[in-house]
């Protein structure tokens, strides 16, 4: 677990644990200790208990009576649902951007960030840049709130991404992003639609492979 120096509220503890789960620092099946975490962050057990309850409400932990709190497995159903919604929404966003051809410098800049992160083996940094690339497309469409709505849906999908990006060829993702950007810059709606759908359907290949390699990490 990545250390945290201190926290003052249950919300801060929750946010810290949330990040640890999504990044894979806390793997499915890991038992969380109220006592240990409370000592680590310098709080009483009550706010830590509240953070655990919130984590369970997020679908990321399981509170088992008389047994404790454990990090939940990755829901394949939730991953597939989030992927489906992203494809439907982002393909429309991409067509809207292609039709107006706004400034895409933010998306261009993220490709360079991804190349550096890939070369350094920085998976968290790569995924953060990946998200900024897609968020920049929503911004370019004039619909930044759409990406915020998508973010709330994809916690389980992000857990899967942090696992798969350590295994699969990240340069393929960069190439897919470049294809999306090239089509957007050309104002080619059909090519943009095809590129974004191909990119977001990559997970349909990766998910079953990851589930087969780590069956204890997945459910559904």
């Amino acid at each position: 677990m990545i250390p945290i120096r201190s926290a003052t509220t249950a919300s801060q503890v929750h946010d810290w644990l949330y990040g640890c789960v999504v990044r894979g620092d806390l793997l499915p099946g890991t038992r969380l200790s109220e006592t240990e975490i409370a000592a680590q962050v310098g709080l009483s057990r009550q706010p830590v208990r509240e953070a655990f309850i919130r984590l369970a409400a997020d679908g990321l932990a399981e509170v088992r009576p008389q047994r404790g709190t454990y990090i939940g497995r990755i829901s394949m159903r939730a991953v597939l649902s989030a992927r489906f919604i992203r494809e439907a929404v982002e393909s429309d966003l991409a067509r809207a951007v292609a039709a107006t051809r706004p400034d895409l410098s933010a998306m261009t800049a993220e490709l360079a960030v991804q190349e550096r992160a890939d070369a350094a083996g920085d998976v968290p940094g790569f995924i953060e840049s990946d998200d900024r690339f897609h968020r920049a497309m929503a911004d370019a469409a004039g619909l930044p709130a759409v990406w915020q709505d998508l973010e709330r849906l994809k916690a389980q999908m992000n857990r899967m991404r942090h696992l798969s990006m350590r295994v699969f060829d990240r340069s393929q993702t960069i190439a897919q992003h470049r294809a999306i950007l090239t089509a957007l810059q050309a104002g080619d709606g059909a090519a943009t639609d095809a590129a974004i759908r191909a990119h977001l359907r990559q997970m349909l290949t990766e998910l079953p492979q990851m589930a087969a390699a780590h069956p204890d990490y997945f459910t559904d």
Side-chain angles (χ1 to χ4, degrees):
M1 187 187 302
I2 292 178
I4 181 173
R5 289 186 178 180
S6 64
T8 58
T9 66
S11 180
Q12 287 178 308
V13 178
H14 164 267
D15 292 348
W16 167 56
L17 291 172
Y18 185 100
C20 288
V21 175
V22 169
R23 290 190 302 271
D25 299 325
L26 287 171
L27 292 171
T30 302
R31 187 179 186 278
L32 298 178
S33 167
E34 286 182 12
T35 302
E36 290 177 6
I37 292 178
Q40 186 173 1
V41 300
L43 290 175
S44 68
R45 292 174 60 181
Q46 181 58 36
V48 174
R49 186 176 301 118
E50 292 174 12
F52 285 5
I53 292 170
R54 287 186 57 187
L55 203 65
D58 295 329
L60 300 180
E62 301 172 8
V63 179
R64 304 175 187 173
Q66 311 305 318
R67 296 182 61 189
T69 300
Y70 295 79
I71 301 303
R73 292 189 289 173
I74 299 170
S75 168
M76 293 178 69
R77 187 173 300 164
V79 172
L80 292 172
S81 177
R83 192 221 63 82
F84 182 88
I85 293 169
R86 280 193 66 182
E87 180 179 333
V89 172
E90 291 196 53
S91 60
D92 278 358
L93 282 176
R95 281 186 173 274
V97 174
T100 57
R101 302 178 72 175
D103 176 24
L104 300 175
S105 58
M107 295 180 73
T108 302
E110 291 304 334
L111 286 179
V113 174
Q114 289 161 30
E115 288 174 344
R116 291 194 296 271
D118 180 35
D122 179 7
V123 172
F126 187 95
I127 291 176
E128 288 171 6
S129 177
D130 186 334
D131 281 344
R132 289 194 299 268
F133 179 88
H134 288 266
R135 185 172 67 230
M137 186 173 69
D139 291 344
L143 295 167
V146 169
W147 180 255
Q148 295 169 15
D149 290 337
L150 289 175
E151 278 282 19
R152 285 190 283 270
L153 297 174
K154 63 188 190 72
Q156 299 284 13
M157 186 178 188
N158 286 345
R159 297 177 74 190
M160 161 63 191
R161 290 166 67 210
H162 275 273
L163 287 174
S164 64
M165 287 290 186
R166 297 171 185 169
V167 177
F168 294 104
D169 186 1
R170 292 183 295 270
S171 66
Q172 182 179 5
T173 298
I174 296 172
Q176 291 169 352
H177 283 167
R178 186 169 288 109
I180 293 166
L181 181 59
T182 298
L184 288 173
Q185 290 169 330
D188 188 333
T192 297
D193 184 86
I196 195 75
R197 290 182 187 277
H199 172 52
L200 292 174
R201 288 177 184 177
Q202 180 177 331
M203 186 162 286
L204 295 175
T205 299
E206 295 179 351
L207 179 59
Q209 293 183 48
M210 294 304 299
H214 302 283
D216 293 342
Y217 290 179
F218 293 85
T219 187
D220 301 332

